[in-house]
Amino acid sequence: MTTQQTVKVQLVRSPISTPQSHRATVRGLGLRKLRSISELQDTPAVRGMINKISYLVKVL
């Protein structure tokens, strides 16, 4: 059995004054409040979402 690689993402800036698509991306990653952490599978789709909102999140 191979284990899936995971990536932890933390929301460090508020998405209040950001474009609607960026707010939707934050929600799509499972992040709600500031400093919330979400552990996701490391796929190209997730990496693209992280790259899109890189100014709002921190990869742990």
Side-chain angles (χ1 to χ4, degrees):
M1 291 179 66
T2 61
T3 59
Q4 291 288 337
Q5 294 290 336
T6 60
V7 60
K8 284 187 179 182
V9 182
Q10 182 179 25
L11 186 63
V12 294
R13 287 192 60 203
S14 174
I16 287 177
S17 62
T18 60
Q20 180 64 34
S21 63
H22 291 202
R23 280 180 263 157
T25 303
V26 169
R27 292 300 304 231
L29 288 173
L31 301 169
R32 293 179 176 256
K33 297 181 178 183
L34 283 179
R35 296 183 183 82
S36 63
I37 297 174
S38 183
E39 188 169 353
L40 307 158
Q41 290 184 351
D42 193 9
T43 63
V46 170
R47 284 289 177 172
M49 293 170 76
I50 293 170
N51 190 35
K52 181 177 182 177
I53 58 166
S54 61
Y55 63 99
L56 296 175
V57 297
K58 177 171 66 169
V59 177
L60 302 176

